Amino acid sequence: MPLPALLLLISTLLPLAAFGVLLFAGKRLGNPLAGMVGTAFIAGSFACAITGMIFWLSGGTGPMAGAAEWGAGKGPIVLPISWLPTGGGIAQDHPGYLDVGLYVDSLTVAMFSMITLVALVVHLFSIGYMAHDRNFHRFFTYLSLFCFSMLGLVIGGTLLQIFVFWELVGLCSYLLIGFWHEKRSAANAATKAFVVNRIGDFGFLIGMGILFYHLGNVSLPHLHALLHTAGMGGAVALSDGTIFGSGLLTIMGVGLFMGAMGKSAQFPLHTWLPDAMEGPTPVSALIHAAPMVAAGVYLVGRIFPILTPDAKLFIAIIGCATLTIGALIALAQSDIKRVLAYSTISQLGYMMLALGVGSWVGGMFHLLTHAFFKSLLFLGAGSVIVAAGHEQEMVRFGGLWRKIPVTAVTFGIAVLAIAGTPFFSGFYSKEMILRDAGAFSVLAVDLSHGRGLGYWLFFILPTGVAYLTAFYMMRCWMLTFWGKPRDLKLYAHARESAVMYVPLVLLAVLSIIGGKFLGIEDLLNWSMRESGQYCTQLIQKEARPIGGGGERGEMKFAGYSTAWPAQLPGEEESLGDDELVVRERTPSQRAQIEGHHLVERFAYWAFAVGLGLAAAIYWKGYAVADWLMRIPPAHWVRNWLYRGMYFDELYQIVWVDGVILGGAAICRWIDRWVVDGTVNGASTVVRVISSLAGWIDRHLVDGAVNGTGELAHGVGAAMRSAQSGRIRLYVMVLLAAVALGLAGAVMVALSG
């Protein structure tokens, strides 16, 4: 096994080992030793992930196709293992078997580094945050299982493995959200998250079932190689001669995306994520920053090469709606954790929009940078909550920067990053998404000859939300840290501890340098190149000879051909040391440059406008906001947004009450007309049959018996009458015979 794959496998198994140790010995280890043990294991996992990245960047050779290379920009490490005999399929590594295995590329390495780093910081923070909880050891037991589940999901080489670990992540989220299950709200939130995610997983199963039925294979590289032309539109001709229709491909893609809709809280399956705030704040950081929400975006990133244009358009529409809804609702929230929850929903919408419009690098780039500043925001909120005696309402905060200055500064850095401030990590990834969204809108309108003006919404809405993001995050900071204290008792007891703010400082540094200096963009570009090179080998290996001859077609992998390049097209291309040639740009290149100009004109200063407006309105706390709320429309809109646009109430009426009342009505109808009808009908039939039987008994059976008796009597009388007549006849005949005999004797005597 190549060394990077081995290190990442060890990195995956270390949290599982921690889970086993804490499961059986955690209670005896107690507080804080149980937390230290869990933290030590995840620290080892992080060390393995970083070491694996170092070896990955250095490159090497490994078991791909012959002695092909692996490493950054060269090729992935693919290690298939035969698992379950399932019969024939297309392009199976082990014919007749369903495979499992490992798949390691630059995206895998980047995800491992991000997840283990955030998990390590959360573990460190939790030692202080959960110090007084009576179930301290159980909390770290769940955290360890959560980390193992997410790492297993990322390293899995097949959709089947992704789904298995996907469900394990869902189980862990249920356990962690409902960790304080004695609170009814926490138990309900955990149940809600579990149920809503199962709705999405139903679509995931449908999509995966379609693939397995037609291909007998769900290995990621083979799926990419077999269906790499799906992004061009139209049907796909498989290597065995069958045709995979474009409509079925779209259904498959939308089905798989439904799983991501649930896991990454996309509209309309977004309502579980704000309620997940009922779990401990470190759980919120894990769920919202790295493992939980990353799973859905990661899945869409992995299946991007096999998505049809219609499936991508559907993803873009859902992402655009989600980012808008999340940002609008965040404007009116007063609970600091719910502000961050809706912010997460909005940022996930940005990632899905990016993947839908073809900004693969932009979407995955934002996933990784978002992990740094969003985990910083949640852990900063946790520090505030602990300092405020576990109060979460910003109405009671104010002036806390004097009491918890490190938290205030690091939280402010995260606000600048998420607002898209230049030189902070969020600026680079969000700018790329908006640029590619603008390019997509320009190209779509041009190709439709000006008729598809609705495509402009893919640029207008996320640009407008960029202003809103800066505004509501600065509002959150101002109401929490600026101005005069609004609760003097809370303010007097506020303190911060080193065990909690040291992780904040580390994340603050990453939130500054994560966009430009960590090489994330290069890793993502290499990931596309690695997948392309490996899949091209698979395609050419399976390709049929052209025109019946002996030569095979030089086919290349087209899975990422619809993805926008990370860099803007240049004016000139070098042909040698002293030779330059000016090339005419393609329509897509012109669109990308126009998208860049749109961002410069309309979105570049969004951070300054949003931050400045929020600072002006909330400089004196709620004074200006309260004045604005006296205007009736503003008050109504605020209430509508504060209640989450009444999505929960709508779902309660339509799905919960609707199902209960509608189900009750159906059951009542079935009980009355089917069950009771059957029973009553049976009794009616019995009564009819009984009445009929009585009538037959009275009129036929008794009549027949009586008639038979009378007949017998008549026959007897007749027989008796006939018998007496025969006797008389016999006597008369006998007398006649005697008389004749006497007469004959007299005549004989007289003649003699």
Side-chain angles (χ1 to χ4, degrees), residues 450-476:
R451 292 190 298 271
L453 296 178
Y455 288 108
W456 279 112
L457 291 175
F458 292 137
F459 176 75
I460 294 172
L461 289 177
T463 299
V465 169
Y467 288 85
L468 295 181
T469 302
F471 178 84
Y472 69 69
M473 288 308 307
M474 190 61 181
R475 168 184 177 267
C476 181

Side-chain angles (χ1 to χ4, degrees), residues 338-576:
R338 292 185 77 86
V339 173
L340 301 182
Y342 282 108
S343 169
T344 300
I345 292 174
S346 182
Q347 297 305 305
L348 290 170
Y350 269 109
M351 300 172 205
M352 291 302 184
L353 169 69
L355 294 170
V357 300
S359 183
W360 189 88
V361 174
M364 304 309 292
F365 192 9
H366 198 55
L367 170 63
L368 294 165
T369 58
H370 174 265
F372 299 139
F373 57 72
K374 185 51 63 70
S375 56
L376 174 56
L377 287 169
F378 271 106
L379 295 184
S383 180
V384 171
I385 292 168
V386 171
H390 291 275
E391 176 60 52
Q392 297 182 193
E393 289 292 327
M394 295 185 296
V395 176
R396 299 185 60 188
F397 296 161
L400 289 177
W401 71 270
R402 301 179 188 90
K403 290 287 189 173
I404 48 175
V406 177
T407 302
V409 172
T410 54
F411 197 96
I413 290 172
V415 169
L416 294 175
I418 195 174
T421 307
F423 309 113
F424 288 78
S425 60
F427 167 78
Y428 299 97
S429 55
K430 189 174 290 186
E431 188 271 342
M432 187 181 295
I433 293 174
L434 292 176
R435 183 191 72 196
D436 292 341
F440 179 85
S441 300
V442 169
L443 187 61
V445 171
D446 287 346
L447 293 177
S448 64
H449 304 290
R451 292 190 298 271
L453 296 178
Y455 288 108
W456 279 112
L457 291 175
F458 292 137
F459 176 75
I460 294 172
L461 289 177
T463 299
V465 169
Y467 288 85
L468 295 181
T469 302
F471 178 84
Y472 69 69
M473 288 308 307
M474 190 61 181
R475 168 184 177 267
C476 181
W477 192 92
M478 295 292 291
L479 291 176
T480 302
F481 299 103
W482 193 252
K484 297 180 180 180
R486 289 182 289 277
D487 187 324
L488 294 177
K489 184 178 179 181
L490 180 151
Y491 177 81
H493 292 86
R495 298 288 185 276
E496 64 182 356
S497 61
V499 72
M500 296 177 68
Y501 68 64
V502 167
L504 302 184
V505 174
L506 174 60
L507 288 172
V509 172
L510 293 172
S511 297
I512 297 173
I513 68 173
K516 185 69 174 178
F517 301 105
L518 295 184
I520 297 175
E521 185 178 329
D522 293 333
L523 281 171
L524 296 173
N525 280 313
W526 289 335
S527 177
M528 288 197 296
R529 188 187 309 170
E530 293 153 12
S531 179
Q533 291 174 352
Y534 183 80
C535 291
T536 296
Q537 295 179 22
L538 293 179
I539 293 167
Q540 293 177 356
K541 181 179 178 181
E542 295 293 330
R544 296 181 174 185
I546 298 176
E551 297 183 358
R552 295 181 180 271
E554 291 298 322
M555 299 178 63
K556 291 187 176 181
F557 180 66
Y560 292 105
S561 60
T562 58
W564 296 100
Q567 303 297 327
L568 288 171
E571 292 281 353
E572 300 171 328
E573 182 177 343
S574 175
L575 296 181

Side-chain angles (χ1 to χ4, degrees), residues 596-618:
H596 176 67
H597 293 328
L598 288 171
V599 172
E600 288 184 330
R601 287 197 295 268
F602 299 108
Y604 187 86
W605 295 103
F607 76 97
V609 174
L611 295 175
L613 186 60
I617 293 177
Y618 294 97

Side-chain angles (χ1 to χ4, degrees), residues 89 121 151 158 171 191 199 206 416 425 460 520 523 532 673 708 734:
V121 172
L151 294 175
T158 70
L171 172 62
T191 302
I199 296 173
I206 291 175
L416 294 175
S425 60
I460 294 172
I520 297 175
L523 281 171
W673 298 105
T708 303
L734 180 59

Side-chain angles (χ1 to χ4, degrees), residues 244-304:
F244 207 145
S246 60
L248 192 60
L249 281 169
T250 299
I251 294 172
M252 175 273 299
V254 172
L256 293 175
F257 174 65
M258 279 187 65
M261 286 172 63
K263 199 69 73 181
S264 292
Q266 297 295 289
F267 169 82
L269 302 180
H270 65 283
T271 55
W272 69 269
L273 197 56
D275 291 351
M277 297 301 95
E278 293 292 337
T281 299
V283 171
S284 303
L286 266 182
I287 290 176
H288 289 246
M292 183 73 171
V293 297
V297 180
Y298 175 80
L299 172 66
V300 178
R302 280 302 190 199
I303 64 172
F304 180 88

